[in-house]
Amino acid sequence: MPHASDLDYIRAAIALAKDGMERGEGGPFGCVIVKNGVIVGRGNNRVTSSNDPTAHAEVVAIREACKQLGSFQLDGCVLYTSCEPCPMCLGAIYWARPDRIVFAATREDAADAGFDDQLIYDELPLPYQERRIPTGHELREEARTVFHAWKSKTDKIRY
């Protein structure tokens, strides 16, 4: 059973998807982020209009919400998106840590419209040596020195 306001907010996300698509900003995806009954972040897909492959609706909304809230975390927030988040967006959502996610269309609906993320889902469990994009692994020990420095840093902001 959805929360009373879930349907209003998911409709707002769907409206953003439609409006952004009609303006030619990108694919038909929209997202709103709500805290205490107030929309603190809005986003629609802007990949093609900004030449930014990361400008998915959820990422745009997360950036706006975090700026509005003055925080890199979305605790106390609910993220509403017009479509089930792709793997990139799902990763960004988990990093942002909202309390809940509500989506409308499914990833199968997106695939039917030409937005198929199955390749990424298939690639994720593979060892990096077996993925389609050739991936090298070099200078691990040099890079680990930075992590060692981070671990002993006393003035870091934990996340």
Side-chain angles (χ1 to χ4, degrees):
M1 189 73 172
H3 290 74
S5 58
D6 280 352
L7 301 180
D8 292 331
Y9 294 125
I10 202 70
R11 282 188 179 109
I14 293 167
L16 283 172
K18 183 176 181 286
D19 293 346
M21 176 193 67
E22 288 175 350
R23 286 192 304 269
E25 293 179 342
F29 302 94
C31 179
V32 297
I33 298 172
V34 177
K35 184 166 189 173
N36 299 324
V38 176
I39 295 177
V40 295
R42 290 176 176 80
N44 61 277
N45 184 290
R46 298 177 186 165
V47 169
T48 57
S49 61
S50 67
N51 293 318
D52 179 354
T54 69
H56 288 202
E58 296 91 339
V59 173
V60 172
I62 288 168
R63 289 173 180 161
E64 182 178 294
C66 288
K67 186 175 181 181
Q68 288 290 325
L69 297 171
S71 174
F72 56 87
Q73 303 279 267
L74 295 177
D75 47 301
C77 294
V78 180
L79 184 142
Y80 298 89
T81 182
S82 66
C83 186
E84 183 177 357
C86 76
M88 177 187 71
C89 291
L90 192 58
I93 291 165
Y94 270 83
W95 281 117
R97 297 178 175 94
D99 290 0
R100 286 191 309 128
I101 304 165
V102 181
F103 68 90
T106 67
R107 71 190 210 196
E108 291 81 13
D109 298 326
D112 183 59
F115 299 94
D116 192 354
D117 301 324
Q118 192 58 49
L119 169 67
I120 300 169
Y121 288 106
D122 293 344
E123 290 278 296
L124 285 173
L126 296 176
Y128 73 86
Q129 304 92 329
E130 295 177 24
R131 292 181 181 155
R132 289 186 187 204
I133 297 176
T135 304
H137 180 213
E138 307 295 340
L139 300 177
R140 179 180 181 197
E141 290 308 314
E142 287 184 36
R144 288 179 67 189
T145 63
V146 182
F147 285 121
H148 293 304
W150 172 258
K151 287 166 47 175
S152 64
K153 186 173 171 52
T154 59
D155 62 342
K156 65 186 166 198
I157 297 173
R158 293 188 181 275
Y159 54 97

